[in-house]
Amino acid sequence: MIRWRDPRAPLAAAAATGVAGFAAALLTGAPALVTGATTGVLTALLAAVSLVFASFRNAPATRPATRWLASGAGVWLLGVALRPFAVSVSFVVTFADLLVLVGIVLMAGGCVLAAARPTHPQAALRQLVDAYLSTASLFLIGWVVALRPIYTEFDDPTAFAIAMLPPMICLLVTCAVAPAAVTARSALWPVGLAGFGVLATATVGEMASAMARLSGDVPPRWSLLLAPVAFLLLAAVPWSGRAGRTADAGDEEARPPAGPVVATLIAAVPLALVVAATLTLLLHLMGGRDRAPVAGVAAVAVSIVLVLAVRLFVLLTAHARMRHLVVLGERQLRELAERTGDVVLLCDYEGVVREIGSGVEVTYGYRPGEVVGASILDYIHPEDVPGIKAALDRMGLDEDTAEPGACMIACRVRAADGTWRPTESVATRHIRGEELLLVTTRDVSDEEALRNQVVHLTFHDGVTGLPNRAYFEERTREVLDGRVSGRTAVIFLDLDGFTAVNDSVGHASGDYLLGQAARRLRGAVRSDDTLARWGGDEFAVLVEVGAEAQVAVDLAERLVRAVSQEPFRVADRDIALTASVGVAFAEDGLPAGDLIRNADVAMARAKELGGRRVEVFAAQMHADVVRRLELAADLQRALIENQFAVEYQPVVDLATSRVTAVEALVRWWRGSAFVPPEQFLGPAEDTGLIVPLGEWILREACRDVAAWRASSWDIGLSLNLSARQITAPRFVETVEEALAESGLPASALTLEVIEEMLVEDAEETISRLSELRALGVRLAIDDFGTGYASLAFLRQLPVDMIKIDPSFVSGLGRDDTLTLLTRTIVRLGHDLGLIVVAEGIERPEQLELLREMGCTRGQGYLVARPMAARGVDSLMRTNLTSLGS
């Protein structure tokens, strides 16, 4: 038992009188008092046991809160149970009261843990100040309403102050916990709220008990029943459906956050209590009673004023610091934007410029003084002005209806030299005395030029400068879809003997010859016709209007004469070439693809007949169909008799020369004769035999690469896909089975598609490729840059790799345009996070330039020629030996 002793006799006499009165009240009101204490002890015990058991079923992160609450309830019930046996003969505060206070503090800690709110030191200090203001204000109100008569009768300031200390501490703790408990969003927020209810009722009970002790009366019965009810609620809440589910699930936020109105009300409660205490005290003093307030009460009132003054000073200091930080941030943001080449300006919602950074002079050539006060609309291209006005109107709407966030604006701006510069701008609301717009503008002329160059590259051939195959196909579709009357024709031209040119003078000289041929053909066609390079040594002409039979045939003969009339001058030698030309005419309902195919068939017929001639497609050309059927039969027989073989071309890391993968290539030996892939892959695709052939290649290649990987060689496999394979019914399952049978990881397999496959049946193709990607298989776009689908579909298809077409690599070091475009593709791949592989590396200078560009991987005859599996075995042993050394 703790005793406080005072040497003054009157104080001891007053204390003895108070104790005697309390003992008499205990004896006379024993049944009610004992019943209330017993009920409180039992309910607190029930709550403690319930919380302990509930903690074992909760998530680990929520257990400390329930255990703190359980500990607090246990200590509290111990204090209440000891009160009847711990009455002091010298004063009115006992050791049991200290146990009650410790229990209150522990339960307050449990409420804070249940709220699970991260609190910064400044916020915690502010909450303590608010709790003190609330406690002091409630004390002043309680003094005027109920405590003043008791104090007058007791007539001992020190004893009165010490007797009121425990309930005041309880009140302070309750006020400090209140904001966290009311606005809690964690899974245990119901438990925390119930714990706060226990704190509030216990505080009321402590106040009633203290007042009863001071007045020598028995505490009211209702004050004895408040805490038991709260403890019963605290015991039941952990097992309720809502609290139990959220705690079990481990949700971090079991209810939505408090709105701004609730937050404002909570913040205003301390100030409202201060105002209420001030009014209550003034009304009391104006009533003519106790004009000279008690020193303690005056001290409390003065402390409230001082705390409010300190808090106001801190708030003003923080506000000034925040304003300084805002101004500093604006200046730093403006400087940062101008260092990056952006122009920063402030304008109103009418577009009038209020401020502008010095970067406008560097970027657009205007002095800042020339622009301030003018309208931004005066510098914007007339075609873009309506869109800018609409954006300003949207930004100027009321807050309830305005679009949130920043407004992105793209327009053309007139520079001081009169040129129109493409720009991209971001406009955000900015409040500085009045609401303005903060606009950050960037000149994207270089990016626009690069984008146009890439688009041109996508639609045009890099060797001849003519439209490429993708453009030609799209243009043919447009012309046939919009055709009303008149005839349309397609002319296919193939340079006879061009393969010998590449073999004799090299591919670079062959490309130079193709450029000369393109210039001759361009001079032979009409201005309304579309001339394109189809691929290799083939060209195509779309006769869009006036394609009568004789006109189209005459044009085809002019093309033959343009090619063969004089030799081409290449590599200091004259090379004479001829041309085989096929002509096909459009018919009603004939698709563009069929029209192009017919012209190709006619051209092949002209080539079979010896070349240097023109053939018009006719339905009687069934000889080619018969030949294809015979070839299809041979292909089917070759599949049964295992006449095919797989060769592998290594793909190396250009930085380390380490082999990282091999590309599987199919070879056909018909007897002892080697059949080039270009002769049978097309018929295999047309007849559908490419599907079983591709499945066989896939299984063989997966088995070989899996065996090499089992020998501790980290190597991948690349495999080309055709349109027929992708659209085959069980293609995805076939890939999955091949991987499972061989044991090859899905991540080690890369499947390659060409760009034009993403155009025809794009939706189905992308869907199938996405299924493959879901298996973990990597995807690559082969011959990147020769089609026009890449930029449109890279965002839809999760591609891992792009392979630069050999036509670009062949010009490295010799053609500045091809070198620049290759560098652009490499940079584009890096920006998109893709692996870039260069194909067709045949010269050392190409390899060095690719390394300098940052191209990660490459393949070609200079790196390694295609080889059989035995050759790869030797390469593997050499590679592993070099790694080991």
Side-chain angles (χ1 to χ4, degrees), residues 471-492:
Y471 180 88
F472 188 84
E473 290 177 335
E474 183 65 24
R475 182 59 184 165
T476 304
R477 280 192 289 267
E478 291 178 357
V479 171
L480 292 183
D481 292 342
R483 184 167 63 99
V484 178
S485 60
R487 302 195 70 180
T488 301
V490 170
I491 300 175
F492 254 56

Side-chain angles (χ1 to χ4, degrees), residues 131-194:
Y132 175 79
L133 291 175
S134 301
T135 303
S137 300
L138 290 173
F139 172 76
L140 290 178
I141 296 173
W143 170 265
V144 173
V145 175
L147 295 177
R148 183 180 57 82
I150 299 176
Y151 174 80
T152 304
E153 294 178 3
F154 197 73
D155 196 19
D156 189 338
T158 303
F160 181 86
I162 297 179
M164 293 303 299
L165 186 60
M168 287 298 103
I169 293 176
C170 293
L171 182 59
L172 178 64
V173 171
T174 303
C175 293
V177 171
V182 173
T183 61
R185 296 159 54 190
S186 68
L188 287 180
W189 71 266
V191 177
L193 198 58

Side-chain angles (χ1 to χ4, degrees), residues 812 841-851 862:
L812 291 180
I841 303 175
E842 299 180 351
R843 303 192 312 274
E845 59 268 25
Q846 295 173 342
L847 181 60
E848 292 302 320
L849 279 174
L850 289 169
R851 285 174 174 168
L862 179 65

Side-chain angles (χ1 to χ4, degrees), residues 389-453:
K389 287 183 176 179
L392 291 175
D393 292 340
R394 289 196 302 269
M395 296 290 290
L397 294 176
D398 293 336
E399 291 186 0
D400 294 338
T401 58
E403 294 182 355
C407 178
M408 308 294 294
I409 302 172
C411 63
R412 289 161 290 179
V413 175
R414 186 182 70 249
D417 58 4
T419 59
W420 293 102
R421 309 274 186 88
T423 64
E424 293 179 353
S425 304
V426 179
T428 56
R429 293 183 180 85
H430 182 79
I431 299 178
R432 183 193 287 178
E434 59 178 324
E435 192 168 348
L436 300 173
L437 290 178
L438 176 64
V439 183
T440 303
T441 301
R442 171 172 295 183
D443 184 357
V444 294
S445 300
D446 294 340
E447 291 85 345
E448 187 71 18
L450 180 60
R451 188 181 301 114
N452 293 336
Q453 195 171 19

Side-chain angles (χ1 to χ4, degrees), residues 81-100:
L82 292 177
R83 267 182 175 168
F85 309 102
V87 177
S88 173
V89 298
S90 61
F91 210 67
V92 291
V93 175
T94 67
F95 178 75
D97 296 330
L98 294 182
L99 291 177
V100 171

Side-chain angles (χ1 to χ4, degrees), residues 260-279:
V261 176
V262 176
T264 303
L265 290 176
I266 292 175
V269 166
L271 299 179
L273 290 176
V274 170
V275 172
T278 303
L279 293 177

